[in-house]
Amino acid sequence: ARGNNKGCTVYVDERALSFSMSAAEQQAKVGLTTEQWAKFWEEGDFGEECPHHDQDHDHHHGHDHDHTHGHTHDGDGDNTDEYYDGHGSGKIDKYLQKHLDRLTGGKPKASFLVTLCGNSPDLVWLCEQGHAVVGSEISEIAVKEIFEKPLSGTAVPYVVTSEGNFKVYSATDGKELKVYIGDFLQLTPEIAGTFDVVWDSHGIVSLPIPVHKAYAQKVCSLLRPGAKLLFSTVEYDINELQSGPAPCPISTDRLKELFPGNFEVEMLDNPKLPLGEFPGVTSLTNPILLLTKKNQ
């Protein structure tokens, strides 16, 4: 769920997904690099070529402002308005709210990592629920919006420091909120600590396929025993996709491949999404997937 792709090259691991199209076509259709996302934020150019146009055009990776215009009901005539309170609504993600107690196990204060967070309002909201929150994002423009343009309208005061290769924005009003600006794959437990919960809202789906494994390994390195991971992804038949760029479909089976062995995977929700975002696609859903790390 990132920004906008103008002729980027993405190398696809053909073992990861089974496509009928050529490798060249695959490369042109899914995933963008960290550098490209940073560039698109700087240019403010989130238009028709955005991989999640009308879903994420204001948010890096998986989180964004209100842009529900242009959505329609799906092909079966089912109302998909509920999607507008989920990913891409500009509101607090409805599925994060719905499953918060499941994620925290009822703990009044859990440690959250929000990966590839863009300018998501979810971070401040989680802090307001009493949790300690760390975000990771490549774009300083996006991070400033988290603090300076929250949904409440009241800016969150902050200081800017450096840790390792990261610039760090930290709230100074009592909220336990820190956002690391830089390459998520360089984040370490020594820098950021470890976490009870990871929230990925359309983050992994925006990455080039060869990066998925490294992303999963990095996430695993930041987890505490028994940690829970909530993924909001997309699923569709990529062979139907007539033109890109688009997010990479991530299914339950794909997450099991990326997080093998000591994780339990459960689908909590799978709402239909409005059609029309990705030309040719006849079925588009939003799997909400919960991964629980076994206590090992």
Side-chain angles (χ1 to χ4, degrees):
R2 302 204 185 184
N4 160 330
N5 176 9
K6 294 182 178 177
C8 72
T9 299
V10 177
Y11 295 95
V12 176
D13 179 355
E14 295 186 32
R15 296 168 300 177
L17 293 174
S18 176
F19 298 160
S20 63
M21 62 188 72
S22 71
E25 289 174 314
Q26 295 169 24
Q27 294 168 10
K29 291 180 186 290
V30 294
L32 296 180
T33 67
T34 296
E35 292 77 13
Q36 287 161 338
W37 287 117
K39 179 181 178 182
F40 295 134
W41 266 107
E42 291 170 3
E43 295 179 348
D45 183 13
F46 297 95
E48 292 294 336
E49 295 181 0
C50 173
H52 290 226
H53 178 64
D54 278 345
Q55 290 183 31
D56 299 69
H57 66 265
D58 278 334
H59 271 77
H60 174 54
H61 295 103
H63 306 265
D64 54 347
H65 291 306
D66 186 5
H67 43 69
T68 58
H69 59 280
H71 287 310
T72 61
H73 293 176
D74 64 41
D76 295 328
D78 296 331
N79 192 319
T80 55
D81 286 346
E82 68 172 30
Y83 176 63
Y84 301 154
D85 290 334
H87 170 73
S89 67
K91 304 175 183 179
I92 308 307
D93 191 284
K94 69 174 292 181
Y95 298 105
L96 176 62
Q97 295 180 73
K98 178 180 179 179
H99 300 296
L100 183 62
D101 287 344
R102 179 85 179 270
L103 294 173
T104 63
K107 292 174 62 173
K109 181 180 178 181
S111 58
F112 274 78
L113 172 63
V114 184
T115 60
L116 314 183
C117 65
N119 55 3
S120 171
D122 296 343
L123 285 80
V124 171
W125 179 79
L126 285 167
C127 287
E128 291 171 347
Q129 309 313 302
H131 303 297
V133 182
V134 167
S136 178
E137 169 56 39
I138 193 62
S139 169
E140 187 169 5
I141 296 171
V143 174
K144 282 185 176 180
E145 291 190 8
I146 293 173
F147 291 85
E148 297 177 1
K149 299 179 180 180
L151 290 180
S152 68
T154 303
V156 177
Y158 62 88
V159 295
V160 182
T161 57
S162 296
E163 296 182 37
N165 294 325
F166 293 86
K167 183 179 283 190
V168 185
Y169 277 53
S170 302
T172 59
D173 64 349
K175 294 183 178 68
E176 293 192 50
L177 173 61
K178 296 175 71 174
V179 183
Y180 290 84
I181 301 170
D183 182 358
F184 173 67
L185 296 183
Q186 296 184 29
L187 201 63
T188 64
E190 291 73 25
I191 294 174
T194 55
F195 301 92
D196 300 311
V197 183
V198 172
W199 170 225
D200 175 314
S201 178
H202 290 221
I204 191 170
V205 301
S206 68
L207 295 172
I209 293 171
V211 180
H212 289 180
K213 185 173 182 180
Y215 174 85
Q217 291 172 339
K218 177 56 63 177
V219 168
C220 289
S221 74
L222 298 167
L223 300 179
R224 296 175 180 173
K228 295 184 183 296
L229 300 81
L230 189 66
F231 286 82
S232 176
T233 72
V234 293
E235 189 168 10
Y236 63 91
D237 182 355
I238 199 166
N239 293 306
E240 294 182 338
L241 188 65
Q242 295 176 356
S243 62
C248 180
I250 297 288
S251 64
T252 301
D253 288 342
R254 178 62 173 148
L255 277 188
K256 288 179 179 179
E257 292 174 4
L258 292 169
F259 294 87
N262 62 337
F263 288 89
E264 298 176 354
V265 181
E266 178 182 357
M267 182 179 287
L268 302 181
D269 295 283
N270 193 26
K272 293 181 179 180
L273 300 186
L275 296 178
E277 297 294 337
F278 312 122
V281 171
T282 59
S283 177
L284 181 65
T285 62
N286 177 198
I288 307 298
L289 302 168
L290 176 67
L291 278 67
T292 302
K293 184 178 182 181
K294 300 174 184 176
N295 285 294
Q296 296 178 347

